[in-house]
Amino acid sequence: MNDAAPAPELFTWEFATDPYPAYAWLREHAPVHRTRLPSGVEAWLVTRYADAKQALADQRLSKNAVHHAEPAHAKGKTGIPGERKAELMTHLLNIDPPDHTRLRRLVSKAFTPRRVAEFAPRVQELTDRLIDTIFENQHSAEKGEADLIHEFAFPLPIYAICDMLGVPREDQDDFRDWAGMMIRHGGGPRGGVARSVKKMRGYLAELIHRKREDLGQGGDDDLISGLIRAGDHGEHLTENEAAAMAFILLFAGFETTVNLIGNGVYALLRNPGQRERLQVSLAAGESELLETGVEELLRYDGPVELATWRFATQPLSIGGQDIAAGDPVLVVLAAADRDPERFTDPDTLDLSRRDNQHLGYGHGIHYCLGAPLARLEGQTALATLLRRMPDLRLAGDPDDLRWRGGLIMRGLRTLPVEFTPRRI
């Protein structure tokens, strides 16, 4: 492309399939680019790695939509559909210090390396159970078929985060249904999503009330009980805050992992040499390539395309571009993580890449709290799939696959696969 080339069209279905050429153009020609989003809101897109890292840590960029300069009717278009009406705004993605510091400190106790390590057997159990179910659903001994998104990548993190929150097993399928509505309609009409959010909010409020009454009677080492205990010991956690925190941990903790597994498996299927390297490494009982590999999959085609909304609280400059107070700023993680100024051969998948300080989990005080759990789920899911379905392959033409239309997340609607239905 030359300087005279027009800016690429953004946010079309074609763009969603492969946004990386457009992001490459923006990095070179308009690294901080003002555009009108599908919602009608105008925002700045930050696409270079150095600028993205600066913006993610810049405390002049607030997470609170109260700083948005747009009229009131536009403010409702900048968050998760339905969260305003359901009084779920007071969570980590929408607040700044000092409230952010206080809430993050409370929740971070659930995501310590020790707590996540203790959860590993449950994640493995869930993973095996889902693969068992896929095998059991096969009617042919010659060829198995499945939609890896809906039958595996989607339910695994739902059940895992429900267990961590303390949602009773008998209620977890309701959460699966509500989350499914959010996934299916995330880029379309917002009504269905808002209804699901409202149902989730009502359920969480009731669950918090129930757990508060049962506190101290045993079996209360889950995250929601921990939030209640913190609130009852002078930390000033309101019931709305507890419900909002539980909601965002569920919301942020499932769709990102769905996409990590789905995008990751798809990338491996499209890069058979890398997939074979990983299978050989796993067969030898090694874990190093799996660990660096998951980080590379996060960089190469990660689950979060754009970081969540930020709003300039004062005039500032990013990458030499002046940003006015009140302007929304969206950091394009997918563009930054393929910046050739930061990564060697950024468009090449290299599972053994070591110099890989990707921004897939963000940066600064809003760095993803659930990153250890997501890594555990991603590593467990990929290793178990490759071990138990060693001849896993894409069913159909890659050009027929469709990506979910949405602003923040990047993930496949479906991932049809074939395999030999055997047990290992």
Side-chain angles (χ1 to χ4, degrees), residues 91-420:
H91 56 67
L92 290 174
L93 295 186
N94 285 343
I95 58 174
D96 305 314
D99 288 335
H100 176 273
T101 309
R102 175 175 61 89
L103 291 181
R104 187 178 176 100
R105 184 177 65 250
L106 297 177
V107 183
S108 63
K109 297 170 186 174
F111 292 102
T112 62
R114 178 182 171 186
R115 181 76 179 264
V116 171
E118 290 172 349
F119 201 56
R122 176 58 178 159
V123 173
Q124 185 66 63
E125 177 190 341
L126 287 169
T127 303
D128 281 319
R129 191 184 79 194
L130 291 168
I131 294 178
D132 287 344
T133 301
I134 292 173
F135 280 145
E136 289 162 5
N137 288 341
Q138 303 310 306
H139 302 295
S140 165
E142 300 298 321
K143 185 176 72 172
E145 296 179 329
D147 174 3
L148 214 59
I149 299 297
H150 292 283
E151 296 178 60
F152 182 73
F154 171 68
L156 174 59
I158 279 288
Y159 292 137
I161 198 68
C162 279
D163 276 356
M164 185 165 269
L165 285 170
V167 176
R169 299 277 169 91
E170 62 268 21
D171 294 342
Q172 291 184 7
D173 283 336
D174 288 336
F175 266 80
R176 180 175 174 167
D177 290 342
W178 297 330
M181 177 70 75
M182 295 165 77
I183 283 261
R184 285 191 296 275
H185 299 291
R190 297 163 75 90
V193 182
R195 281 193 297 275
S196 293
V197 170
K198 186 176 180 181
K199 288 178 180 177
M200 235 181 242
R201 169 67 175 90
Y203 176 85
L204 288 170
E206 181 184 330
L207 182 63
I208 288 168
H209 180 71
R210 243 179 18 238
K211 284 184 176 291
R212 177 169 274 128
E213 290 187 332
D214 295 341
L215 215 59
Q217 298 180 24
D220 57 2
D221 61 344
D222 57 84
L223 178 53
I224 287 180
S225 297
L227 290 172
I228 294 169
R229 277 195 298 271
D232 289 343
H233 286 83
E235 290 277 6
H236 310 298
L237 192 68
T238 68
E239 188 160 304
N240 266 352
E241 286 177 332
M245 287 302 307
F247 166 74
I248 200 58
L249 289 170
L250 178 73
F251 183 85
F254 88 88
E255 190 172 2
T256 50
T257 308
V258 174
N259 295 348
L260 168 58
I261 297 170
N263 297 5
V265 171
Y266 180 60
L268 291 175
L269 295 180
R270 298 299 304 278
N271 292 269
Q274 293 293 307
R275 175 252 189 93
E276 184 178 358
R277 286 180 67 197
L278 183 53
Q279 284 181 301
V280 169
S281 173
L282 291 170
E286 300 166 355
S287 62
E288 186 176 350
L289 190 63
L290 176 65
E291 293 167 3
T292 59
V294 166
E295 298 309 305
E296 173 68 346
L297 292 168
L298 282 159
R299 182 202 69 81
Y300 179 78
D301 198 8
V304 182
E305 191 166 344
L306 284 76
T308 49
W309 293 84
R310 284 165 167 77
F311 306 92
T313 59
Q314 59 184 271
L316 64 129
S317 176
I318 302 175
Q321 175 65 58
D322 291 335
I323 309 289
D327 280 0
V329 174
L330 290 167
V331 177
V332 187
L333 305 178
D337 279 343
R338 291 220 189 175
D339 188 343
E341 293 294 317
R342 176 60 185 82
F343 300 99
T344 304
D345 297 325
D347 296 322
T348 298
L349 181 70
D350 177 7
L351 298 183
S352 59
R353 189 185 296 270
R354 291 190 174 280
D355 181 18
N356 194 2
Q357 297 297 314
H358 64 77
L359 300 176
Y361 289 127
H363 175 67
I365 64 169
H366 291 284
Y367 182 83
C368 177
L369 197 61
L373 179 61
R375 285 189 172 101
L376 170 66
E377 291 174 339
Q379 291 175 14
T380 304
L382 291 175
T384 309
L385 277 173
L386 293 176
R387 177 173 56 84
R388 299 192 61 185
M389 297 178 172
D391 62 346
L392 190 71
R393 55 199 177 272
L394 197 61
D397 190 333
D399 291 338
D400 293 335
L401 294 176
R402 293 292 176 265
W403 297 78
R404 287 194 301 276
L407 190 62
I408 302 299
M409 301 292 185
R410 173 165 172 76
L412 287 161
R413 289 176 177 269
T414 61
L415 183 56
V417 295
E418 298 175 347
F419 54 90
T420 301

